[in-house]
Amino acid sequence: MPTRQTSSSGKPKSPRIQVVLPEDLCQRLSLLAERESRTVSNMAKVLIQQGVQRYEAGEPSSGSDKAASSPSRMDTIRSALESQQPRRLRGAPRRVRLHRPD
């Protein structure tokens, strides 16, 4: 549950959450905020709002709209494998011997 604080005037502040980010993600967030002339906190709020809206709309979570329209690498690999004809194995499976180190 977000923490609810009160300001010095006694009015309740907006709910707050605390998040721990990896260093590289924090740097990327800072760069995005700088590009849009926002604070890091405000940029995080905007990105969270967009993510929640996409999640509620049932859209897949992807980095950009362009990436959402093109198939991902995993989808491409999966479809290539599924389109292959199944092959029968030749002969009985060979026994694998594991040697223990001395």
Side-chain angles (χ1 to χ4, degrees):
M1 185 77 182
T3 306
R4 181 71 99 169
Q5 298 175 341
T6 56
S7 65
S8 57
S9 66
K11 291 177 66 178
K13 291 184 178 181
S14 297
R16 316 241 178 218
I17 60 171
Q18 186 176 13
V19 180
V20 179
L21 299 176
E23 191 70 33
D24 63 321
L25 183 57
C26 187
Q27 289 174 350
R28 290 168 52 198
L29 181 61
S30 298
L31 287 173
L32 288 173
E34 190 175 323
R35 278 191 218 148
E36 295 198 13
S37 301
R38 297 177 182 266
T39 63
V40 175
S41 179
N42 183 263
M43 190 72 215
K45 174 188 153 197
V46 169
L47 293 174
I48 290 170
Q49 284 174 334
Q50 290 174 356
V52 168
Q53 288 170 350
R54 285 184 185 150
Y55 185 82
E56 289 175 343
E59 294 179 22
S61 59
S62 62
S64 66
D65 293 336
K66 193 189 311 180
S69 64
S70 66
S72 69
R73 184 171 180 214
M74 197 59 94
D75 290 336
T76 306
I77 293 170
R78 183 181 297 117
S79 63
L81 288 173
E82 289 173 347
S83 66
Q84 292 178 357
Q85 290 293 325
R87 291 181 275 171
R88 296 277 180 197
L89 296 175
R90 294 184 199 151
R94 295 188 179 142
R95 184 177 205 147
V96 177
R97 294 184 183 202
L98 301 175
H99 298 284
R100 293 186 182 174
D102 294 328

